[in-house]
Amino acid sequence: MLTVRDGRDDLGTTITSFMSVSLDPPLVLASVASSSYLTEVLRRRPRWAATILSASQRALAGRFASEGRPSARILLASEPHHRGEHSGALVPDTGVSALECETRQIVEAGDHTLFVAEIVSTDYVSAGRTPLVRAARRYLPG
């Protein structure tokens, strides 16, 4: 899940393509639909948060993936969360891991935009949680 704090609101979405790119410096890549408002905001706001959701957060992933979703603040209202110290983005507390990132490169790739970002901070890591994994258009059993 990717979240970003805009000047007016908090935005977020479930992303299906997120990966490590480099260990030195620590870089990750997030793929976001080019036509989305989130892409427009990420072009203006270089700092954002990525949360690796746990298998128990399938409903949360669904809420953040739905079309016409409300503000991330509303979607996280019933979930324990906090603001990232470096990004100001909303971060759910019960994921597997949360990273705060700063975009270093933007690449157009078909109907998606790739945001290559340096990890500014590891917000938390919860080693005992099973990650939520989606493959072939469905979630794998956790």
Side-chain angles (χ1 to χ4, degrees):
M1 184 174 82
L2 188 148
T3 53
V4 62
R5 184 176 193 176
D6 190 6
R8 295 172 284 171
D9 204 357
D10 292 287
L11 303 165
T13 192
T14 298
I15 57 174
T16 55
S17 297
F18 183 77
M19 61 183 269
S20 172
V21 175
S22 168
L23 292 176
D24 188 19
L27 298 174
V28 292
L29 180 145
S31 177
V32 181
S34 296
S35 61
S36 73
Y37 178 62
L38 183 62
T39 294
E40 181 183 322
V41 172
L42 288 169
R43 288 180 180 281
R44 294 191 319 259
R45 309 291 283 197
R47 289 203 171 186
W48 43 273
T51 303
I52 309 302
L53 298 178
S54 68
S56 66
Q57 293 177 299
R58 188 172 172 175
L60 181 61
R63 287 197 303 264
F64 272 85
S66 65
E67 290 292 323
R69 64 191 161 274
S71 163
R73 275 191 332 272
I74 294 169
L75 294 172
L76 284 172
S78 64
E79 302 279 333
H81 65 279
H82 63 279
R83 287 205 180 272
E85 179 182 348
H86 302 281
S87 65
L90 294 174
V91 177
D93 292 342
T94 55
V96 173
S97 180
L99 307 169
E100 289 188 274
C101 304
E102 185 168 355
T103 301
R104 297 291 185 223
Q105 186 177 4
I106 300 172
V107 179
E108 298 299 325
D111 61 356
H112 277 66
T113 301
L114 309 178
F115 293 89
V116 178
E118 185 169 353
I119 298 171
V120 176
S121 170
T122 301
D123 193 288
Y124 66 83
V125 175
S126 301
R129 295 191 180 130
T130 303
L132 180 63
V133 178
R134 185 172 166 96
R137 299 182 183 246
R138 50 185 273 237
Y139 291 108
L140 300 180

